Amino acid sequence: MSGQLDMIILLFVIISGIGAITVRDLLGAAILFGAYSFLMCLLWAIMGAVDVAFTEASVGAGVSTVLFVAAVFRTTRRTKD
Amino acid sequence: MSEFIDFFVGKYNYWAFILLMMIGLYAMIAKKNLAKKIIGMNIFQTAIILFYISTAAKGGGASIPIIAHGHGHGLSEHGARAADYINPLPHVLMLTAIVVSVATLGVALTLAVKVYHQYGTLEEDEIADRIRAQTGGEP
């Protein structure tokens, strides 16, 4: 762990994680989840795990968000909680 | 008292991982929407991956695990000092975990789409109501 930057990004990760499960719109939740994945990838790049950060940026933030948005468009954006 | 505070503040990353894991667990248990449950499952997985990656990190100027001047010369005379490089073993384990997590996300979303086509909703309580209506009162 190195200094202040990872603490700030860790705070953003927690905020976007809470936002992804509280927003009342599934498309917004999917986009916030993509932001969560990309911030997590930045955190891993800071920690020195560059290979894991590459994989997370392509697979986690890329493919997962695309799959989620596709699933939301095939079902519904409505959510009650 | 001050060493007590140092103990808690010095391990802030572990508290953050526990907080992220509990956010994911809360979303899996308490949220009624199936897509929210899937997001909670992924948050839980990434929190565990983050914990493993942070166990690999080292202080004291350790760099990424690529040996400098490893090609041809230098390595045979001196060898590589393990304290200069971040531990690459948890990275390799967590690469597998990331791929597994995207596979489970795909399967879970496919099941959610099939459930939506069957019952017309993604809310768990509404699905239970429709199953109850179809089977005539039996849950």
Side-chain angles (χ1 to χ4, degrees):
Chain A
M1 309 293 285
S2 60
Q4 302 289 313
L5 188 60
D6 61 342
M7 210 187 293
I8 296 168
I9 289 182
L10 203 52
L11 190 66
F12 277 134
V13 162
I14 292 170
I15 289 171
S16 60
I18 292 174
I21 67 167
T22 45
V23 66
R24 288 174 188 272
D25 176 16
L26 283 186
L27 193 61
I31 300 303
L32 272 172
F33 180 64
Y36 168 87
S37 292
F38 194 76
L39 285 168
M40 195 67 107
C41 142
L42 283 182
L43 196 55
W44 290 338
I46 290 171
M47 284 182 185
V50 196
D51 44 354
V52 185
F54 279 359
T55 316
E56 174 73 10
S58 63
V59 169
V63 177
S64 291
T65 310
V66 169
L67 283 178
F68 218 102
V69 169
V72 167
F73 278 134
R74 283 176 147 270
T75 57
T76 176
R77 285 174 65 169
R78 187 180 70 93
T79 175
K80 284 198 298 192
D81 49 0
Chain B
M1 187 62 197
S2 72
E3 61 200 22
F4 190 68
I5 293 174
D6 282 348
F7 177 76
F8 276 94
V9 174
K11 295 184 170 51
Y12 68 94
N13 48 346
Y14 292 136
W15 300 115
F17 308 150
I18 293 171
L19 185 61
L20 276 174
M21 276 179 72
M22 290 306 118
I23 289 169
L25 195 63
Y26 166 77
M28 283 171 75
I29 293 173
K31 296 287 175 183
K32 291 282 198 297
N33 194 289
L34 290 179
K36 288 289 180 67
K37 283 178 188 286
I38 295 168
I39 289 181
M41 183 182 74
N42 243 297
I43 288 176
F44 196 95
Q45 285 170 336
T46 44
I48 294 170
I49 295 171
L50 183 58
F51 170 69
Y52 268 82
I53 296 298
S54 79
T55 60
K58 288 177 187 170
S63 73
I64 57 173
I66 298 171
I67 295 176
H69 312 295
H71 188 69
H73 57 86
L75 188 59
S76 55
E77 292 95 36
H78 304 102
R81 283 179 49 221
D84 289 339
Y85 301 101
I86 296 169
N87 187 7
L89 182 63
H91 297 181
V92 182
L93 292 173
M94 290 309 114
L95 276 181
T96 320
I98 288 173
V99 178
V100 169
S101 85
V102 78
T104 52
L105 177 78
V107 173
L109 286 173
T110 312
L111 290 175
V113 170
K114 296 299 277 184
V115 165
Y116 180 80
H117 285 166
Q118 183 81 25
Y119 295 107
T121 178
L122 280 179
E123 308 287 331
E124 205 180 42
D125 45 351
E126 293 177 9
I127 292 169
D129 283 345
R130 285 175 205 194
I131 291 174
R132 215 170 280 124
Q134 282 176 4
T135 57
E138 293 298 317

